[in-house]
Amino acid sequence: SQLAEENSWALSVHEGESVTVNCSYKTSITALQWYRQKSGKGPAQLILIRSNEREKRNGRLRATLDTSSQSSSLSITATRCEDTAVYFCATMSNYNVLYFGSGTKLTVEP
Amino acid sequence: EAAVTQSPRSKVAVTGGKVTLSCHQTNNHDYMYWYRQDTGHGLRLIHYSYVADSTEKGDIPDGYKASRPSQENFSLILELASLSQTAVYFCASSDGTGANYAEQFFGPGTRLTVL
């Protein structure tokens, strides 16, 4: 079941620019997570934002959550080439089961 | 540092053959998961386990079995491999408790090609 979905299949920016990846989800949640997957690697968590939080930061990353519209965003400022990756949002269920979206492929060009 | 390892990293199997993918974690985590990822798509949950000797079905369990003989080890078994099971398989673990209870730590993946 596709309970979470990113709104863009691919984005491209130049180094130093900011970018935002958007996500919508279909069920009530206790938390939403953002993961990044670099080529040939497994996903790695970036941010977990709980349903009672509106914003969460982690260095150059900022996640927002709007439970009324069932949407979330992940913003990256001052992008670097190494930010090139696929970004996933994921909703949580019992036993920490995650439901991933299809992902947004971000390319940061020099 | 948290570590999830998978073996083999790559495998070519014949249709109808048996395939076993192995996962080992040194995180002391209770929860373990198997996902598959098809090219250009997200991850879909196959099986998971929250305690040794017990497994649960995920979203796409058909054609797969799982085994959790110990807290550290979680295997995915394809009894009769089919072409449609060609994919990259990821194992993950999570703690289930504490401040970072929900973070899943992923292994490097196993690329399975069924011919």
Side-chain angles (χ1 to χ4, degrees):
Chain A
S1 56
Q2 201 74 35
L3 298 180
E5 193 60 50
E6 297 79 7
N7 295 351
S8 299
W9 185 77
L11 295 169
S12 181
V13 297
H14 289 97
E15 263 194 317
E17 295 178 342
S18 297
V19 66
T20 297
V21 180
N22 294 301
C23 166
S24 57
Y25 58 91
K26 296 179 181 179
T27 183
S28 62
I29 60 171
T30 56
L32 183 142
Q33 300 187 47
W34 282 96
Y35 282 78
R36 174 174 66 191
Q37 184 178 26
K38 295 194 173 184
S39 181
K41 306 287 186 182
Q45 190 201 59
L46 298 174
I47 290 180
L48 180 151
I49 184 165
R50 301 177 193 275
S51 59
N52 62 351
E53 297 175 314
R54 291 296 169 258
E55 179 181 302
K56 194 85 169 278
R57 291 180 185 267
N58 180 8
R60 296 182 294 111
L61 307 177
R62 172 179 172 261
T64 65
L65 182 65
D66 184 342
T67 54
S68 62
S69 64
Q70 296 190 316
S71 64
S72 177
S73 70
L74 177 71
S75 297
I76 308 173
T77 58
T79 54
R80 305 167 181 166
C81 287
E82 53 262 39
D83 293 327
T84 292
V86 179
Y87 290 80
F88 296 96
C89 63
T91 56
M92 279 171 49
S93 181
N94 296 333
Y95 301 109
N96 294 349
V97 168
L98 293 180
Y99 296 98
F100 285 83
S102 300
T104 293
K105 183 176 182 179
L106 173 65
T107 301
V108 181
E109 299 176 5
Chain B
E1 172 143 347
V4 179
T5 56
Q6 296 181 230
S7 63
R9 292 294 314 279
S10 179
K11 183 170 181 67
V12 178
V14 295
T15 304
K18 182 177 181 178
V19 176
T20 299
L21 307 182
S22 299
C23 178
H24 179 79
Q25 55 108 349
T26 58
N27 303 330
N28 198 33
H29 287 168
D30 286 330
Y31 298 82
M32 295 188 74
Y33 313 83
W34 276 107
Y35 296 89
R36 69 174 277 172
Q37 184 174 38
D38 296 279
T39 303
H41 291 82
L43 287 81
R44 292 183 290 168
L45 182 67
I46 307 171
H47 285 288
Y48 65 99
S49 169
Y50 54 88
V51 68
D53 293 323
S54 177
T55 63
E56 305 293 332
K57 294 181 179 179
D59 282 348
I60 53 165
D62 292 346
Y64 303 94
K65 288 185 178 179
S67 174
R68 181 93 182 271
S70 64
Q71 186 193 43
E72 298 81 16
N73 297 294
F74 193 33
S75 297
L76 186 68
I77 303 142
L78 290 66
E79 295 278 3
L80 295 169
S82 67
L83 294 173
S84 63
Q85 293 177 312
T86 293
V88 179
Y89 292 84
F90 288 99
C91 175
S93 74
S94 71
D95 190 356
T97 61
N100 296 321
Y101 71 100
E103 179 177 2
Q104 290 193 12
F105 294 87
F106 283 81
T110 295
R111 182 173 296 277
L112 175 65
T113 302
V114 182
L115 301 176

